[in-house]
Amino acid sequence: MAKKKVGWFGDFGGQFAPETLMEALSALEAEYSKIRRDSTFRRELNYYLRSYAGRPTPLYYAKKLSDTVGGARIYLKREDLLHGGAHKINNALGQALLAKRMGKTRVIAETGAGQHGVATAMAAAVLGLHAEVYMGSEDMERQRLNVFRMRLLGATVHPVDAGSRTLKDAINEAMRDWIANVSNTHYLVGSVVGPHPYPTIVRDFQSVIGREIMAQFKKSVGGLPDYIVACVGGGSNAAGSFQAFVGEKKVKLVGVQAAGQGLASGKHAAPLLAGSVGVMHGMRTYLLQDDNGQIQLTHSVAAGLDYSAVGPEHSYFKQTGRVEYVGVTDEEAVKAFETLSRSEGIIPALESSHALAYAIKLAAALPHDTKIVVTLSGRGDKDVESVAKFRGSKL
Amino acid sequence: MSARIFGSNHPLIAYLMAGYPTLDRSLEAAEIVFKAGADALELGVPFSDPIADGPLIQKASTVALRQNVSLRLVLDMAGRLSGSGKPIYIMSYLNPILRMGYAEFAAQASRSGVSGVIIPDLPVELAAEWVRTAWANRLGTVFLATPATSTPRLKKIAQNSTGFVYLVSVYGVTGVRDELPGYTYEFIRRAKSVVNRPLALGFGVSNPRTVSQALKAGVDGVIVGSLLISKLMDQEPSWVEVLANLESTVHALKQATSTTVPTEEGK
């Protein structure tokens, strides 16, 4: 397949979209290449990121956690402190401003854990756009709090009952909506997935995470961290955390996928660890698929990681070896969720808890002068009910 | 083989989902559709994530997948229907084809007597390898064009399409529609003026009146899918009655294609 071409990360990515969307994708690409060099746009976005969303977020040395683990030092990039409670607002604000530039009045979004839906609803409210969010009905059940928040913020939430009733099906339905309403609607994709230019746009809007980590680390600790660890569902917080460090070969980058009930059980959401290459949602990437090319159902305790594909740049990083991808089970993630809550008084999102669980394991085997940065992509208030259920108790 | 149906006739191309309601019954439905006058069959391959399809075809796809209807089984079914002498087109999303591999799929489709293949999520820019493989196996390639497609793209789509160009009538997914919007007819006229290939209109062509209007606006043939799937979903007391209903539906549509006088530019 095409190499070094626009819209490709090596052999991955591309624009495998229905014909109705092809002109809209070209228009989006053209507009994006204009605004990325436009200082007025950057100023406006930075204004909202600082004054509305709460950037920059702190880089926090989790001393008590590190001491408990007894090994490497663990630093947390506190994206959980952002408005809305997750890194999703970085991208939602960027794309909502882009949508306005293109004269679109309506934005649609898919959401898994509901964090991207909430971020979209917020960005749409503050920028005067109409927002509609597609969400799998299974996810609506396990993330009820976020459904209520989205509605409170003025967004319409459409339940999706097809397939596994999770993120993949929500993306299908959002794409169908976009096909029908492409003239007035911008599809505000929430992760580094979909046809080109989405994986690039979303990564760029999230790359503020990695740039801040680099500057903050240099200033408060000195030098560069040894590891950056982030969870990977679609992969937007990881792509944003890694971007600034991709060229820094000494910094080891680790992406953590949801191993669910274990890779051997088949009940997981780890296409980079147990999948194969195919095409879905407009991109050539690693997928969980059967021998006939049908997309398989996934499982993870974290709704935001419960996805059968992954952003194409992660497939490329896997192929080149620049990023190491590992798996963390539901059980390990829930344990990390509880550990951080008790040791630092921070309740992390179940998605971020996957990254944290791996970092804890990693830290235990490394000397104290090793420094690990974990991107805490979101806060876990939304997950307390899921964790209670997982532990067999009620709220 | 495929261009022949456009010779002196306005072809009616019937879409059915292979494996809906069962593999055997979809084969029976195809035979009935041919008997009722359909000139060609577009055979849908079920897929887990059919992003260009509306609720009816999604549902049919889900039912077929529950019975493990694979691309291989669909090709077998096409082989069994090839004795009809009528062209059969395969409509499949890209991933099942990639999983089998372009070369093996094209060879098997060709052996099964398939005339051409339609892949709704393979845009013409990324199709060079597929087109080469298909043509080497004497398999037609049909690309979709939509009202959103620019005129330069339309030309590129036509160059890569053999047999006909599939015009998508609306901004939207497949489904039953009482009538088509005004812009559909403008799109048909625009396509007609730049495409030197037969044009077949699909997505929402759901009654004889729409068929006549589309033909008058300049398309050469029509594709009817969701309407036929809806007939198969009707809660008739027996399968025999479902088939009778399907037959009369196709018959009425075929009447509309045979009685519509071609426009001057359509000849």
Side-chain angles (χ1 to χ4, degrees):
Chain A
M1 291 229 176
K3 289 214 171 142
K4 285 189 182 169
K5 281 170 77 175
V6 177
W8 287 87
F9 306 95
D11 289 340
F12 301 98
Q15 205 166 49
F16 296 92
E19 176 60 27
T20 306
L21 300 180
M22 294 303 287
E23 301 285 353
L25 291 168
S26 299
L28 179 61
E29 186 181 356
E31 189 64 29
Y32 180 65
S33 67
K34 256 192 272 171
I35 61 107
R36 96 192 272 192
R37 281 176 205 82
D38 179 348
S39 56
T40 314
F41 182 90
R42 293 243 62 103
R43 259 201 308 278
E44 197 177 3
L45 176 57
N46 284 338
Y47 166 76
Y48 281 105
L49 288 176
R50 296 183 77 88
S51 308
Y52 180 77
R55 298 218 74 89
T57 59
L59 181 70
Y60 168 72
Y61 172 43
K63 184 171 186 304
K64 198 149 162 278
L65 173 71
S66 303
D67 290 348
T68 312
V69 173
R73 276 175 269 188
I74 298 173
Y75 296 80
L76 303 175
K77 179 58 175 166
R78 300 288 312 274
E79 295 295 293
D80 61 312
L81 291 176
L82 283 172
H83 182 46
H87 71 293
K88 295 292 187 186
I89 193 77
N90 301 328
N91 168 57
L93 284 168
Q95 281 197 56
L97 284 168
L98 183 56
K100 281 191 84 162
R101 285 273 176 129
M102 291 189 295
K104 310 283 183 179
T105 52
R106 178 176 179 263
V107 291
I108 54 170
E110 83 293 343
T111 198
Q115 291 301 115
H116 176 57
V118 166
T120 300
M122 287 171 166
V126 71
L127 295 171
L129 294 161
H130 174 71
E132 294 187 35
V133 180
Y134 291 90
M135 188 169 188
S137 49
E138 152 115 16
D139 288 341
M140 284 178 75
E141 178 57 35
R142 55 180 166 171
Q143 301 285 346
R144 285 186 296 176
L145 179 66
N146 275 342
V147 175
F148 190 78
R149 292 167 82 201
M150 283 184 266
R151 288 181 172 150
L152 198 60
L153 292 159
T156 307
V157 183
H158 299 288
V160 179
D161 274 319
S164 55
R165 302 182 291 127
T166 59
L167 183 56
K168 157 179 97 79
D169 311 286
I171 295 177
N172 291 342
E173 212 49 43
M175 281 198 162
R176 292 183 188 114
D177 180 314
W178 202 32
I179 289 170
N181 299 296
V182 67
S183 59
N184 72 343
T185 298
H186 174 68
Y187 180 10
L188 209 161
V189 174
S191 192
V192 286
V193 300
H196 172 71
Y198 281 109
T200 301
I201 292 180
V202 178
R203 178 202 65 198
D204 290 355
F205 284 140
Q206 292 295 359
S207 64
V208 64
I209 304 173
R211 284 197 307 274
E212 283 181 12
I213 293 174
M214 189 179 262
Q216 290 167 327
F217 201 90
K218 273 184 184 157
K219 198 173 162 208
S220 63
V221 188
L224 292 169
D226 299 292
Y227 288 87
I228 310 255
V229 182
C231 64
V232 178
S236 71
N237 89 80
S241 301
F242 296 162
Q243 174 70 3
F245 294 95
V246 169
E248 302 287 348
K249 302 289 183 219
K250 279 185 200 153
V251 181
K252 296 184 187 72
L253 307 175
V254 184
V256 185
Q257 290 226 282
Q261 296 174 12
L263 293 181
S265 71
K267 290 182 177 166
H268 58 80
L272 288 169
L273 305 177
S276 54
V277 177
V279 168
M280 86 173 294
H281 290 159
M283 56 186 169
R284 184 173 191 272
T285 192
Y286 275 89
L287 307 173
L288 292 171
Q289 58 181 328
D290 68 15
D291 292 342
N292 295 316
Q294 304 295 342
I295 309 307
Q296 289 175 315
L297 301 187
T298 51
H299 164 82
S300 170
V301 69
L305 302 181
D306 206 349
Y307 183 45
S308 34
V310 65
E313 194 170 19
H314 288 294
S315 293
Y316 177 63
F317 287 148
K318 173 192 159 81
Q319 191 187 47
T320 61
R322 180 63 190 94
V323 178
E324 184 191 2
Y325 294 93
V326 298
V328 155
T329 63
D330 289 350
E331 178 65 42
E332 293 170 314
V334 170
K335 204 174 155 211
F337 176 95
E338 293 161 343
T339 302
L340 190 70
S341 300
R342 281 171 207 158
S343 67
E344 297 285 350
I346 297 170
I347 303 174
L350 275 176
E351 291 77 15
S352 322
S353 298
H354 284 71
L356 194 66
Y358 186 76
I360 290 173
K361 230 187 316 189
L362 188 66
L366 290 168
H368 191 60
D369 59 355
T370 306
K371 296 149 201 134
I372 301 171
V373 174
V374 181
T375 300
L376 214 61
S377 56
R379 68 173 185 231
D381 308 49
K382 67 184 178 60
D383 294 316
V384 293
E385 205 174 336
S386 292
V387 170
K389 200 175 154 199
F390 188 86
R391 288 298 186 216
S393 60
K394 279 188 177 164
L395 284 186
Chain B
M1 182 171 181
S2 53
R4 186 192 64 189
I5 56 168
F6 287 91
S8 53
N9 177 20
H10 285 314
L12 169 67
I13 302 170
Y15 171 98
L16 293 173
M17 171 63 72
Y20 186 82
T22 66
L23 202 55
D24 286 346
R25 285 189 167 184
S26 61
L27 189 73
E28 273 183 73
E31 282 161 354
I32 291 289
V33 154
F34 280 146
K35 184 178 154 214
D39 299 280
L41 179 69
E42 187 189 332
L43 200 51
V45 177
F47 184 53
S48 51
D49 297 84
I51 55 172
D53 285 302
L56 288 166
I57 294 181
Q58 284 176 47
K59 189 179 164 196
S61 193
T62 304
V63 170
L65 283 179
R66 243 179 253 145
Q67 305 168 77
N68 296 314
V69 173
S70 63
L71 182 53
R72 282 171 208 283
L73 287 175
V74 180
L75 289 177
D76 288 347
M77 178 178 165
R80 287 166 74 183
L81 285 165
S82 62
S84 65
K86 295 190 176 180
I88 295 163
Y89 295 90
I90 297 285
M91 161 80 108
S92 175
Y93 287 89
L94 182 57
N95 202 51
I97 294 176
L98 284 178
R99 191 68 174 163
M100 190 184 277
Y102 281 160
E104 191 188 339
F105 168 68
Q108 288 213 21
S110 186
R111 268 202 298 280
S112 300
V114 168
S115 294
V117 179
I118 305 158
I119 309 175
D121 54 349
L122 181 63
V124 72
E125 289 85 350
L126 296 175
E129 188 190 343
W130 162 242
V131 169
R132 231 181 2 256
T133 312
W135 290 2
N137 284 276
R138 311 176 71 161
L139 207 56
T141 51
V142 175
F143 288 88
L144 292 89
T146 79
T149 305
S150 68
T151 299
R153 278 186 68 81
L154 250 172
K155 289 179 182 163
K156 201 168 176 195
I157 285 165
Q159 281 162 11
N160 285 277
S161 297
T162 52
F164 66 95
V165 174
Y166 191 135
L167 298 189
V168 174
S169 63
V170 292
Y171 287 91
V173 293
T174 57
V176 174
R177 290 177 176 88
D178 288 339
E179 60 183 335
L180 296 177
Y183 69 73
T184 302
Y185 302 102
E186 284 165 41
F187 169 51
I188 293 170
R189 287 187 283 274
R190 179 164 67 92
K192 194 78 191 162
S193 69
V194 295
V195 175
N196 188 22
R197 290 261 196 295
L199 304 174
L201 184 76
F203 281 47
V205 179
S206 312
N207 55 55
R209 187 168 34 89
T210 305
V211 169
S212 300
Q213 284 172 350
L215 293 172
K216 279 181 186 149
V219 296
D220 302 283
V222 290
I223 304 165
V224 180
S226 294
L227 177 71
L228 305 185
I229 300 291
S230 78
K231 295 296 165 191
L232 291 174
M233 283 176 184
D234 275 351
Q235 298 296 312
E236 297 292 338
S238 74
W239 176 241
V240 175
E241 280 161 278
V242 169
L243 286 182
N245 198 358
L246 179 70
E247 184 172 358
S248 65
T249 303
V250 173
H251 188 73
L253 293 164
K254 183 57 209 172
Q255 283 230 299
T257 70
S258 350
T259 54
T260 304
V261 182
T263 56
E264 273 312 300
E265 56 286 31
K267 276 184 183 169

